[in-house]
Amino acid sequence: MRLFLLGTLAANVAVGLLAFSTLTGMLAGTSWVILATHFMALGALLPIMVGALLQMQPVVAGVQVPCRPWFKWFFPPLLYAGLVSMGLAFSGYAHGFQICAAVLSMATLPTSLLLVISAFGSKVNDVTTRGMQGALCMILIAIVLGVGMLLAFDGIPWVDVMSALPRHVRFATIGWMALLVMTTAQNVVPMFQLTPAYPARLKTWLTPWVVAWCLAGFVPALQSLANMALAVTLACFAALTLFLQQKSKRPQDATVRFWKLGMWALGSVSVLWLVQVLLTISQPWDHYVLLGALFFAGCVQSVIISMLYKIVAFLVWWHLQKIAGPKLTRQVPNMRQVFASSAMSMHFRWHLAAIAGLMLSVIVSPWWPVLAMLALLPLIVANLIWARNLLKAWQLFKQTEQTLRQLMAT
C-alpha cells in the first residue's frame, strides 16, 4: 500500500513538471519533459508495478520475493532521491548525472535482481510467469542503458547516447511495461471480466516474440523491422482484447472501462508508431511527447488503475479475513464494499478528461502555453481522486481491523 500511494503522489509531481515545461513550450523544455517522463515511469508506475509483483509472485508463480525489508526501507527513498538528483543534474549541478546514475542504480538494480531471482525460481510455467520473467530481464537492460546515458552526459563515454536512447525507450516501454500488461491481461481479463480465453498460441509465443524483437533492435539493420514487428504486435493485441471484451458476460463497471481505455490508447500508440516507421521521416519532438503521454497515461496508467482497484480490494478483504478468523468473518466487508462504484466511476470520468487534456496540452503547447498548462488540471484532479480512493480503502482496513480486535478481546 505504501508503494501504491507513493506512486499516485509521484504521478502528480510528473504532471507538475510537465505543466512547468509548457510555460516555455515543449521544444524549449526538453529536459523538463525528460524529467517528467522519468517521474511518471520510475516514480509513479515502477513502485506500483513492484508492489503488484510483490503480491502476484507468491500467488501466480508460487514463490516469495527475498529480502522484503529492502522494498520497505531502502527502495523508495533511494528511488526518489535518484529522481531528485536527476532534476539537479538537468539544472546544471556539478557531477549531477554521476550522482543520479549511482543513486538510481542502487535503487533499481537490487530491486530488479530480487524480483528476477524469485521469478526464475518459480516452477510454474504459465503465460503470466513467463511474462514476468521476460519483462524483468527487459527492465534490467533498460536500467543499464539508462545508467550508461547518464554517465555519458557527464563525459564518461560508456555508451553512445544517440544509439542507446531508442533502445532504452524500447526496453523500458515495450519490453517492460507493455509485455507485463499483455501477459497479465491473458489471466486477468478472462478471470475478472468473464470473457473468452485468449488463443493458446498467443500464450505460448507472445513473451519470446516480444523479447526477441526488442533484442533485435541491437542490430542496426533490423531496427526498423523490429519497430514494425513490435508496433503490429501491440496493435493486434489491443484489437484482440477489445474484441474479447465485447463478448463479456458481466456488466461493465469502471474497472472494465479503464481496461478498454487502456487498450484503445495502446492501439492508437501502435498505429501512430507504425505510420512513423513506415514513412521513415524524422518527427518533431512534440510527436514523441504525444506518443509517450498516450502510452504512459492512456495505456499503462489506465490498466494499472483497473488492476489496482481489484488488487487492493482483495488484499483488504484477505487480510481482514485472516484477522477475523471463522467466528467474526461476517464482520469483514466484501470486496465490492472496499471501493464504492460511484467513486470509481467518478475517477474514470476525470481520467478520461485527463487523457484528452494531456493530448491537448502537448498539441497546443508551442502556441498557447497557458492553455496547455490549464489543460493538465484534469489529470491532477484524476490522480488526487485515485489517491483519495486508495486512502479510503486503507482507512476502511484500519477501522475494521480495530473493530475486529476489540471484538476478539471481549
Side-chain angles (χ1 to χ4, degrees):
M1 282 297 296
R2 279 186 290 270
L3 290 172
F4 295 158
L5 288 168
L6 284 171
T8 60
L9 296 175
N12 264 345
V13 176
V15 179
L17 290 167
L18 195 60
F20 182 80
S21 73
T22 60
L23 293 175
T24 53
M26 287 295 180
L27 288 173
T30 300
S31 61
W32 292 103
V33 174
I34 294 173
L35 186 60
T37 301
H38 284 84
F39 258 94
M40 175 59 78
L42 291 178
L45 301 180
L46 179 62
I48 294 174
M49 287 180 158
V50 169
L53 285 172
L54 291 175
Q55 297 298 328
M56 287 174 59
Q57 288 204 3
V59 176
V60 175
V63 291
Q64 290 289 340
V65 180
C67 196
R68 291 182 68 95
W70 167 265
F71 298 93
K72 179 178 180 180
W73 300 110
F74 300 102
F75 169 59
L78 285 171
L79 178 66
Y80 293 113
L83 290 170
V84 170
S85 66
M86 183 181 289
L88 293 174
F90 280 124
S91 300
Y93 186 80
H95 305 296
F97 288 109
Q98 292 182 41
I99 296 170
C100 177
V103 179
L104 283 180
S105 297
M106 288 189 289
T108 55
L109 285 175
T111 300
S112 302
L113 287 171
L114 288 171
L115 292 169
V116 165
I117 290 168
S118 60
F120 280 92
S122 173
K123 297 180 181 178
V124 179
N125 189 31
D126 64 358
V127 59
T128 305
T129 304
R130 290 195 299 272
M132 287 191 294
Q133 293 168 345
L136 289 166
C137 291
M138 297 295 97
I139 195 174
L140 274 173
I141 298 174
I143 290 168
V144 172
L145 290 171
V147 169
M149 286 190 291
L150 287 170
L151 295 175
F153 288 146
D154 251 354
I156 302 174
W158 190 16
V159 297
D160 176 60
V161 174
M162 296 308 296
S163 62
L165 178 60
R167 293 161 184 164
H168 170 72
V169 172
R170 186 186 299 112
F171 282 109
T173 56
I174 311 303
W176 160 242
M177 293 185 181
L179 180 58
L180 202 57
V181 165
M182 291 190 292
T183 52
T184 304
Q186 294 176 64
N187 275 334
V188 170
V189 171
M191 182 189 304
F192 290 118
Q193 301 178 20
L194 300 181
T195 69
Y198 285 82
R201 288 186 179 180
L202 180 69
K203 294 181 178 182
T204 303
W205 291 105
L206 180 64
T207 296
W209 173 265
V210 172
V211 170
W213 281 114
C214 283
L215 293 172
F218 278 114
V219 182
L222 295 177
Q223 200 161 69
S224 295
L225 183 60
N227 289 341
M228 284 190 286
L230 290 170
V232 170
T233 301
L234 298 181
C236 289
F237 183 86
L240 174 61
T241 302
L242 290 168
F243 173 75
L244 294 176
Q245 287 172 328
Q246 288 300 110
K247 297 180 177 293
S248 173
K249 299 177 182 178
R250 60 164 289 178
Q252 290 191 13
D253 61 5
T255 60
V256 177
R257 291 195 289 272
F258 272 115
W259 256 104
K260 285 190 171 183
L261 176 61
M263 291 301 100
W264 277 110
L266 181 63
S268 301
V269 169
S270 308
V271 171
L272 289 172
W273 186 26
L274 183 61
V275 169
Q276 174 195 328
V277 175
L278 290 173
L279 294 178
T280 61
I281 37 181
S282 178
Q283 299 293 335
W285 172 251
D286 289 9
H287 174 82
Y288 295 103
V289 177
L290 183 67
L291 284 180
L294 191 56
F295 177 77
F296 284 123
C299 171
V300 182
Q301 191 178 17
S302 298
V303 170
I304 281 178
I305 290 169
S306 177
M307 292 181 61
L308 215 55
Y309 279 136
K310 293 293 185 182
I311 291 171
V312 172
F314 172 76
L315 290 177
V316 169
W317 173 84
W318 174 254
H319 285 288
L320 289 176
Q321 284 281 353
K322 289 171 66 177
I323 295 168
K327 292 183 179 180
L328 297 175
T329 186
R330 292 185 180 180
Q331 303 293 328
V332 176
N334 61 46
M335 289 177 58
R336 292 184 179 180
Q337 293 174 305
V338 176
F339 294 108
S341 59
S342 58
M344 292 190 293
S345 296
M346 179 188 293
H347 185 192
F348 175 77
R349 289 192 293 271
W350 274 103
H351 186 70
L352 188 61
I355 302 306
L358 183 59
M359 298 300 100
L360 175 65
S361 178
V362 174
I363 293 169
V364 306
S365 175
W367 302 282
W368 298 295
V370 176
L371 175 61
M373 187 174 64
L374 293 175
L376 293 172
L377 289 177
L379 187 54
I380 295 174
V381 175
N383 288 332
L384 290 175
I385 293 173
W386 189 18
R388 183 203 64 178
N389 290 347
L390 290 177
L391 280 171
K392 281 189 173 183
W394 177 251
Q395 290 170 352
L396 174 66
F397 170 78
K398 299 302 290 184
Q399 291 168 0
T400 309
E401 180 189 30
Q402 185 178 7
T403 303
L404 289 171
R405 296 200 185 281
Q406 289 174 350
L407 291 172
M408 291 168 66
T410 57

